[in-house]
Amino acid sequence: AAAAAAARAGAPYRGGARARAERRMGLADEVPAGVVTGEALMRLLRRAKEEGFAMPAVNCVSSSSVNAVLEAARAARSPVMIQFSNGGAAFYAGKGMPGKGQEKAVAGAVAGALHVRAMAKHYGVPVVLHTDHCARNLLPWLDGMLDANEEYFRVHGEPLFSSHMIDLSEDP
């Protein structure tokens, strides 16, 4: 209703979600654009808690879906969480990729993470790079990503991913 009244009066509407998004994206002095890890991630999460906003978390399965999420986050002026599930990561690697066990899912998650890192700064939004719901039977997938984290850290001084979710809810 307030947006409609502002439009009828010829004034821009500055309340609601848009105003929260504008405040939220006043993060440049605290949180850099691109993938956030460590202290930058903690600053982003503290700011979200203090200001009462949530970040969308989107499972991606291709470079096109990653780019679409980054574009939407930029348009919404919102930080975003890009996540890869085990199946989504395997899809990212491609149906034709040979491999045993979790090799495809590890390769796809790493390729997706590298793509996010290459593109996120260009879109100017903070990105939490996350892996989603690793159940006990998928722990070899997590092990492969932790190896990639360590390798990336040796070269760049920060992990490849921001966070990983271990989901043991099916365990007794």
Side-chain angles (χ1 to χ4, degrees):
R8 283 191 299 275
Y13 176 59
R14 298 286 183 215
R18 183 173 181 175
R20 286 191 301 276
E22 288 174 358
R23 286 192 305 275
R24 178 170 53 244
M25 285 303 289
L27 294 169
D29 56 332
E30 292 180 56
V31 180
V35 174
V36 294
T37 62
E39 187 53 39
L41 173 60
M42 296 310 295
R43 283 192 304 270
L44 175 60
L45 296 175
R46 274 193 300 272
R47 181 86 175 263
K49 182 178 179 181
E50 289 167 3
E51 294 188 19
F53 68 85
M55 285 172 282
V58 183
N59 281 4
C60 291
V61 297
S62 68
S63 59
S64 296
S65 61
V66 167
N67 293 346
V69 169
L70 293 171
E71 186 176 342
R74 183 186 65 205
R77 298 177 46 95
S78 175
V80 67
M81 181 179 286
I82 292 179
Q83 34 188 52
F84 294 100
S85 65
N86 180 266
F91 188 90
Y92 202 104
K95 238 175 120 171
M97 182 188 153
K100 296 179 184 143
Q102 293 297 322
E103 290 175 8
K104 284 175 70 168
V106 170
V110 170
L114 292 170
H115 178 81
V116 171
R117 281 193 167 274
M119 299 308 297
K121 287 182 183 178
H122 297 288
Y123 283 87
V125 295
V127 176
V128 177
L129 184 53
H130 179 71
T131 58
D132 198 21
H133 292 280
C134 179
R136 182 173 302 280
N137 65 319
L138 302 176
L139 288 174
W141 173 52
L142 178 62
D143 290 340
M145 290 183 295
L146 292 176
D147 290 344
N149 269 345
E150 289 179 15
E151 184 179 324
Y152 192 89
F153 188 90
R154 277 193 293 275
V155 174
H156 300 281
E158 68 176 344
L160 179 59
F161 294 89
S162 305
S163 57
H164 299 282
M165 179 195 290
I166 298 174
D167 180 355
L168 302 178
S169 63
E170 294 179 1
D171 285 14

